[in-house]
Amino acid sequence: MRRTLATTLLAPGLAVAVAGLAASGCLGQSEETSSGQNAGAKDVTLTVTANAVAGGKNAASAEWMDKYVIPGFVAQQRAKGVNATVKFEGNGGADEQYKTKIALDLKTGGGADIVNLDGIWVGEFADADYLRPLVEVAGPDVDKWDGWRQIPDAVQDLGRFSDQRYAVPNGTDGRVLYFNKTLFAQAGLPADWQPASWDEVLATAEKLRALPGVIPIQVNGGTPMGEATTMQGVLPMLVGTGAEIYSDGKWQGATPNLTTVLQTYQRIYGGGLGDPLLQQEAKGRDKSFQLFSENKIGILLESDYLWRGVLEPAKGVAKMADRNAAVGWAKIPAFTQGGGVRGQDFVSMSGGGVTAINPHTKYPQQAWELLQFMNSADAIKAQLAGQARITQRKDVNSEVLSGDPLLSFIAEEVLPLTAYRPGLAQYPQVSAALQQATADVVGGKAVADAARAYQEALVKIVGEDRVATG
Amino acid sequence: MTTVAPPASAGPTPPTPPTGRRGRRPGRRRRPRSGAGRDVAGLGALRGAAFVLPALGTVGVFLLFPALWTIYIGITDYRLTGEQARHPEVVGAANYTRALDDPLFGNSLWITLLFVLGSAVIGQNVLGFALAWLLRRAAGWLRRTVEALVLLAWILPSTVVAYLWITVLDRGDGTLNALAGTGGTAWLLTYPVASLVVFNTWRGTAFSMLLYSSALAAVPPSQLETARMVGASGWQTVRDVVFPHIRGHVLTNTLLITLWTANDFTPFLLTAGGPDHRSEVLPVFVYRTALEGAGDLGYASAISLLLLLANLVVALLYVRLLRARGVDGGADGGVDGGADGGAGRSAGRGVDGGAGRSAGRGVAT
């Protein structure tokens, strides 16, 4: 009975399966499209996707797409006799989930024609052939776009990989230590707080401990927060020890610098200054936003997104009505004066989103036109709609930033000090290993053990000869 | 003996498209009895094959092909992004050797074991039987009400249920903390596995309850009456009178819920595998390895195959037990009805897919 069933089922099934294998070809291949195809089409359909959704995450961007970009671009095309349809595909998940989604979209040759992504993903997406250089996708005219001249070189790097442009940056950001002035006043701390070292930060947190129901300091750590842990925790501290995660062809292994960072995590979460459980919860970052807006967190290391996207009194996800009066900010100090990267006293990290064209788009020319439209000075000003943000364009920044105290602070004081992540395809894996190391420490593991485990993980990712241990 | 096979096979079959099920059954039953020469339907071999072909095609495309594809990806270093997404290389058994000394894999295996033992083998089995036993002579309205409530827990969509449980177990203003006066206890973080066990017991008990209700109907009332006459206690009655009659059902039920639970992805909705991998059952581990962060599709495929093998081993073990005990059947209706209802368990089903079914086939043959 067993054999009959097996032969009945298996033989034809195998035939079908093998045919399927043959038809789908090998793993990882994708077909070509040409930059000139459909250039003269009269009916054009384009889809744009971003991790933004009306009424939710990054609602302002979603609204801008629906109310400005789509009608504006459709009108522009109609004037040329082209009947354009533009759709916006919103998303409202964690960044990692969004990344998985667009990676799967691009892998299967589907997905939106214009894709927003974090600049740090460009390398691995390019290596996977999910993205192609813009000149390949949309033709040599890309380099002639006058908008490039408005985008500072450091910001353009966000969309570049191996010296080629893969995407147009959406702007940049910076990280600071936010503090709640209401709580500071209750603890008898100054409203113009600017610590000169991490010891001073922790000493201040120590004083906030006296306030009931208040978490003195929260620094992103652990794996559920994903890249937020690396960008708002490990890396800003690491540059404060004088080291960058990648320099001279080597990645930081379990060096004294990294140990200092992990020790700081231990001082915060092992000593009851921060809430370790918050760092382990699946929605911990959203909760930290919520708690900060409710005057329950004293000090929080975050990017300018917290100010303009989260606490923003009208459209933020955790609105804080008295944001302008109650929220203070300070530059992130190095561990010792002059001990930061490049001998600095203060440090920060920056990144930013980019917009790329799906290499499989049916309308590469029109997609490039839409991308230019989205990155015109007028469009960016419309996107800001009274809210400031450090945009990609110098002409827009010079107009809008002066109106916002935090953003002009970041543009003037923080960006000159900042550092960027290496745009290498291996970076996300290294970042995941760093997150795990902090997770270990926040979860109660000894710093030395966490550092050793990180070292082992790193060697597996990049190879022994590319790990700095000194 | 032969009466046992159909219910066991009918259990895990529902996920297969109906065509597949009908196509396979007659062939399997008839051949050994009458040989290939007899043509009952009068179709002829060719037309018979034509009828079966769509079913086989479906099985091939949706079951065999993905399984073989998984094996293939499992021997490569294929990733979601980066260079290896474009040019994956065959790495042989490296993914499997890596799994053997990956503490996270061992951790995940252990948690899966706890989860299955706690919530399925013990939790759903015992609670399901207890409910069936206690309710068998309860008033109609009481029985129907309890059954409806238990069923409700089972048929609600996973996402809805997960959301409700998150609010119940929430650290800040969770219902449980409010009721029990345990303010500030982060149940899902402090006791992640225990929370999942309680959750899944609550969630899946309906199946066991239904199955045992039907099974208990097959226990001859005269024997129960006799037990009562000779003064047997409740426990003695269950052990010496009821259990020998329903032994086959216990094994079948345990097999099904074990496989479903081992392949259940719902824990992801509650804890996402956290905190720090402490509730990472294998399906969640596979998902996180394949699609989150690292995007390690090759390694995740290798783990999937190991999970499938583990399922097969469990299934074979149960079949052995079933044969060794020489059980008597006679409760087709109960098992069939219950198992068909099982198609509603969408969460388990999604990930379950191939593993659950192939295991089921192992039982049938």
Side-chain angles (χ1 to χ4, degrees):
Chain A
M1 184 168 173
R2 194 181 294 258
R3 180 167 301 156
T4 10
L5 177 65
T7 38
T8 325
L9 272 182
L10 275 178
L14 269 175
V16 172
V18 169
L21 276 170
S24 65
C26 298
L27 289 170
Q29 282 183 346
S30 56
E31 83 261 36
E32 303 281 326
T33 47
S34 92
S35 67
Q37 71 172 12
N38 290 326
K42 288 288 162 209
D43 287 290
V44 176
T45 305
L46 291 169
T47 313
V48 182
T49 193
N51 199 4
V53 66
K57 185 161 185 162
N58 296 320
S61 300
E63 200 171 295
W64 170 69
M65 279 302 308
D66 282 336
K67 300 218 170 117
Y68 181 88
V69 175
I70 295 177
F73 183 73
V74 168
Q76 188 204 58
Q77 293 294 311
R78 196 178 299 126
K80 295 199 295 182
V82 175
N83 180 22
T85 312
V86 182
K87 287 181 211 144
F88 177 65
E89 243 177 51
N91 295 273
D95 288 348
E96 268 65 23
Q97 289 164 352
Y98 175 70
K99 177 185 171 190
T100 302
K101 184 182 168 192
I102 57 172
L104 291 171
D105 276 351
L106 294 170
K107 170 203 257 330
T108 50
D113 301 279
I114 291 189
V115 181
N116 278 279
L117 57 162
D118 191 326
I120 201 64
W121 305 338
V122 169
E124 52 178 323
F125 276 52
D127 258 357
D129 216 22
Y130 298 163
L131 293 180
R132 298 272 180 79
L134 284 173
V135 286
E136 259 183 52
V137 179
D141 282 355
V142 167
D143 281 338
K144 293 180 199 148
W145 179 46
D146 60 354
W148 295 118
R149 270 178 291 138
Q150 292 293 340
I151 306 178
D153 214 43
V155 178
Q156 284 203 32
D157 272 346
L158 291 167
R160 267 199 291 242
F161 180 67
S162 303
D163 293 325
Q164 284 189 292
R165 287 179 175 132
Y166 279 82
V168 180
N170 302 339
T172 189
D173 57 11
R175 271 125 197 101
V176 291
L177 286 169
Y178 290 94
F179 58 95
N180 186 313
K181 289 186 189 169
T182 316
L183 297 176
F184 267 48
Q186 284 169 26
L189 291 162
D192 58 345
W193 182 63
Q194 176 57 67
S197 69
W198 272 94
D199 283 332
E200 205 180 316
V201 174
L202 297 188
T204 309
E206 215 38 82
K207 288 183 189 144
L208 288 165
R209 204 198 274 268
L211 303 177
V214 169
I215 302 168
I217 180 170
Q218 204 68 21
V219 176
N220 291 354
T223 48
M225 296 202 180
E227 187 62 17
T229 288
T230 326
M231 265 311 253
Q232 270 97 244
V234 181
L235 296 184
M237 282 197 226
L238 191 62
V239 289
T241 68
E244 286 195 80
I245 184 64
Y246 180 84
S247 64
D248 302 327
K250 290 195 177 206
W251 297 88
Q252 282 281 312
T255 56
N257 304 64
L258 190 88
T259 310
T260 306
V261 171
L262 293 179
Q263 272 162 355
T264 312
Y265 269 101
Q266 194 182 42
R267 285 166 72 190
I268 294 173
Y269 293 108
L273 289 175
D275 180 357
L277 292 181
L278 193 58
Q279 296 312 125
Q280 300 173 21
E281 275 184 53
K283 299 247 173 248
R285 192 170 177 215
D286 293 343
K287 227 167 188 177
S288 75
F289 292 159
Q290 195 65 39
L291 290 172
F292 189 86
S293 74
E294 291 166 357
N295 298 330
K296 284 179 185 158
I297 291 182
I299 306 168
L300 184 64
L301 203 173
E302 265 294 345
S303 79
D304 54 80
Y305 169 65
L306 179 78
W307 172 265
R308 59 182 166 77
V310 177
L311 305 175
E312 206 278 327
K315 288 181 183 160
V317 288
K319 301 174 187 64
M320 194 167 176
D322 59 346
R323 174 194 76 165
N324 295 348
V327 178
W329 52 86
K331 284 178 281 184
I332 302 166
F335 277 83
T336 55
Q337 284 292 295
V341 68
R342 298 180 291 261
Q344 292 168 190
D345 295 337
F346 299 98
V347 293
S348 188
M349 289 296 298
S350 294
V354 301
T355 317
I357 300 178
N358 185 338
H360 291 107
T361 178
K362 278 194 217 150
Y363 305 101
Q365 287 311 311
Q366 293 84 344
W368 170 238
E369 279 180 44
L370 176 54
L371 201 52
Q372 290 174 71
F373 180 80
M374 287 164 70
N375 287 285
S376 64
D378 287 341
I380 294 167
K381 273 184 244 171
Q383 181 182 25
L384 297 173
Q387 291 182 310
R389 175 175 76 81
I390 302 163
T391 74
Q392 60 274 48
R393 293 184 70 110
K394 292 186 266 193
D395 49 359
V396 178
N397 285 346
S398 59
E399 270 182 55
V400 299
L401 290 184
S402 55
D404 186 287
L406 170 81
L407 290 163
S408 46
F409 177 81
I410 288 187
E412 285 157 25
E413 309 247 345
V414 176
L415 288 187
L417 305 167
T418 199
Y420 291 86
R421 292 165 290 184
L424 299 171
Q426 283 164 330
Y427 169 78
Q429 285 172 262
V430 175
S431 174
L434 288 169
Q435 291 156 27
Q436 185 58 49
T438 63
D440 288 348
V441 172
V442 173
K445 219 177 192 179
V447 167
D449 293 342
R452 198 176 314 118
Y454 164 72
Q455 169 86 14
E456 280 170 19
L458 186 63
V459 167
K460 276 188 198 150
I461 298 165
V462 302
E464 185 119 43
D465 52 329
R466 295 184 60 211
V467 174
T469 46
Chain B
M1 221 21 242
T2 45
T3 43
V4 178
S9 75
T13 317
T16 326
T19 46
R21 194 167 147 191
R22 269 177 222 130
R24 283 207 319 265
R25 260 196 180 167
R28 197 201 304 156
R29 273 189 187 159
R30 256 158 221 149
R31 251 179 221 177
R33 239 191 284 143
S34 46
R38 204 171 136 195
D39 183 7
V40 185
L43 281 170
L46 219 74
R47 266 180 291 173
F51 270 105
V52 177
L53 210 62
L56 287 179
T58 314
V59 171
V61 169
F62 291 106
L63 204 89
L64 271 175
F65 172 66
L68 292 178
W69 193 238
T70 304
I71 295 175
Y72 171 47
I73 295 178
I75 57 164
T76 66
D77 62 355
Y78 194 37
R79 299 190 83 91
L80 184 61
T81 59
E83 177 64 22
Q84 293 98 329
R86 194 192 325 202
H87 301 298
E89 280 170 17
V90 172
V91 294
N95 286 325
Y96 294 93
T97 48
R98 179 179 155 196
L100 292 181
D101 54 38
D102 181 354
L104 283 180
F105 174 66
N107 166 65
S108 178
L109 207 60
W110 170 242
I111 288 167
T112 310
L113 196 73
L114 288 180
F115 181 56
V116 168
L117 275 180
S119 73
V121 177
I122 298 172
Q124 294 180 12
N125 241 344
V126 171
L127 187 62
F129 179 82
L131 282 173
W133 178 248
L134 295 174
L135 288 175
R136 76 194 189 288
R137 267 185 313 214
W141 65 269
L142 178 65
R143 186 189 169 114
R144 278 194 296 278
T145 312
V146 174
E147 277 182 356
L149 286 176
V150 176
L151 269 172
L152 200 63
W154 195 41
I155 58 176
L156 283 175
S158 303
T159 40
V160 176
V161 164
Y163 175 76
L164 294 176
W165 273 74
I166 286 172
T167 57
V168 166
L169 297 177
D170 186 70
R171 175 182 168 203
D173 357 85
T175 318
L176 180 62
N177 281 341
L179 289 179
T182 46
T185 309
W187 297 98
L188 287 171
L189 298 177
T190 320
Y191 311 101
V193 177
S195 300
L196 288 182
V197 165
V198 172
F199 162 78
N200 197 48
T201 305
W202 172 87
R203 171 98 169 122
T205 293
F207 178 78
S208 303
M209 185 188 74
L210 290 177
L211 192 141
Y212 287 131
S213 297
S214 308
L216 287 176
V219 178
S222 59
Q223 293 185 12
L224 291 173
E225 194 61 22
T226 313
R228 207 160 58 86
M229 300 270 280
V230 300
S233 72
W235 166 241
Q236 284 168 332
T237 312
V238 168
R239 190 190 57 194
D240 298 330
V241 180
V242 175
F243 188 66
H245 280 288
I246 64 163
R247 195 179 272 151
H249 301 89
V250 174
L251 283 171
T252 307
N253 181 48
T254 311
L255 168 66
L256 294 179
I257 60 180
T258 299
L259 293 176
W260 284 337
T261 308
N263 295 308
D264 190 10
F265 192 66
T266 320
F268 184 84
L269 301 175
L270 262 82
T271 62
D276 198 17
H277 308 284
R278 273 168 53 210
S279 64
E280 204 168 70
V281 291
L282 275 172
V284 174
F285 180 61
V286 169
Y287 173 80
R288 291 184 75 178
T289 311
L291 296 176
E292 272 186 1
D296 207 337
L297 294 169
Y299 184 43
S301 295
I303 307 274
S304 307
L305 191 71
L306 292 177
L307 177 60
L308 191 131
L309 291 179
N311 280 323
L312 276 177
V313 169
V314 171
L316 288 175
L317 200 76
Y318 278 112
V319 173
R320 272 285 147 83
L321 280 174
L322 208 59
R323 289 200 174 143
R325 298 279 171 121
V327 287
D328 40 358
D332 283 34
V335 180
D336 255 329
D340 281 338
R345 284 178 49 130
S346 52
R349 194 62 17 83
V351 182
D352 181 356
R357 260 168 276 152
S358 35
R361 201 162 312 118
V363 183
T365 53

